Amino acid sequence: MKANTIKFFSPEENAPATKKVKAQTKPTGYISGTGKLVLPPKTLEELGVEPLSTRFKIGAPDGKRTLKYLYLIPSSDEEGTFAMTKSGRGFSIPLDVILKKGGVDFEKTKYTFDITIFNYEEGVVGYELALGTAEPKPEYTGKPRGRKPKKDVGAE
């Protein structure tokens, strides 16, 4: 046997595989059927938000017709900000008119969102809400692409 055809193992390869650390899930919430952004208590705890005292500036990407992302920026100003209200077990922000203008049909479709933390300004942390629906993607109904399947000769 030639020396270049032998693969040698190391002691590290013989060590038992370590368990993978579970990926940390992103904080989530949903849009209610009445057009409120609902944030569960667990999500607020993960984000470190005090719901009764924190007010938010709410925005969206400029120049977009439909809302796919919302931005919540904590602010101490009373003017031009939204307050959270207690609803059920969680807290919510009513945004029904803004969501309708942004093309979000919350009355017929259940929307959820994942929250990502980003740095807005020096010392100010913002929250990006990526909107998505809970229903599966519709089945493709267009023209099939690629090679045509071969017909079975023995089946005739």
Side-chain angles (χ1 to χ4, degrees):
M1 175 120 312
K2 293 184 180 180
N4 62 357
T5 60
I6 301 173
K7 180 185 181 232
F8 292 100
F9 298 103
S10 68
E12 289 81 23
E13 289 177 305
N14 194 34
T18 59
K19 293 183 180 180
K20 292 183 179 179
V21 177
K22 195 174 187 181
Q24 186 176 9
T25 59
K26 288 186 174 184
T28 60
Y30 64 94
I31 297 176
S32 71
T34 57
K36 295 179 182 178
L37 293 179
V38 179
L39 299 164
K42 180 181 175 188
T43 299
L44 293 171
E45 185 179 310
E46 284 181 42
L47 296 174
V49 174
E50 184 59 43
L52 296 174
S53 62
T54 307
R55 298 179 66 86
F56 292 101
K57 288 182 183 178
I58 298 179
D62 194 20
K64 301 292 181 179
R65 292 184 192 179
T66 58
L67 292 176
K68 294 193 174 146
Y69 297 96
L70 285 174
Y71 298 101
L72 274 62
I73 310 297
S75 177
S76 58
D77 294 342
E78 290 285 322
E79 187 177 324
T81 59
F82 295 84
M84 298 183 91
T85 57
K86 180 84 170 138
S87 73
R89 287 183 274 169
F91 288 87
S92 65
I93 302 172
L95 291 177
D96 52 340
V97 176
I98 293 171
L99 293 173
K100 279 185 182 177
K101 285 181 183 177
V104 178
D105 189 13
F106 52 83
E107 294 168 337
K108 295 180 182 173
T109 308
K110 173 87 173 181
Y111 281 90
T112 59
F113 52 83
D114 293 330
I115 302 173
T116 308
I117 299 171
F118 69 96
N119 288 327
Y120 176 65
E121 289 177 345
E122 192 72 33
V124 178
V125 175
Y127 307 103
E128 178 186 60
L129 282 59
L131 301 179
T133 59
E135 61 188 38
K137 190 176 177 180
E139 189 175 322
Y140 180 69
T141 58
K143 183 178 177 182
R145 304 285 184 213
R147 294 184 180 204
K148 294 181 180 174
K150 292 183 180 179
K151 294 183 180 177
D152 292 332
V153 177
E156 293 178 5

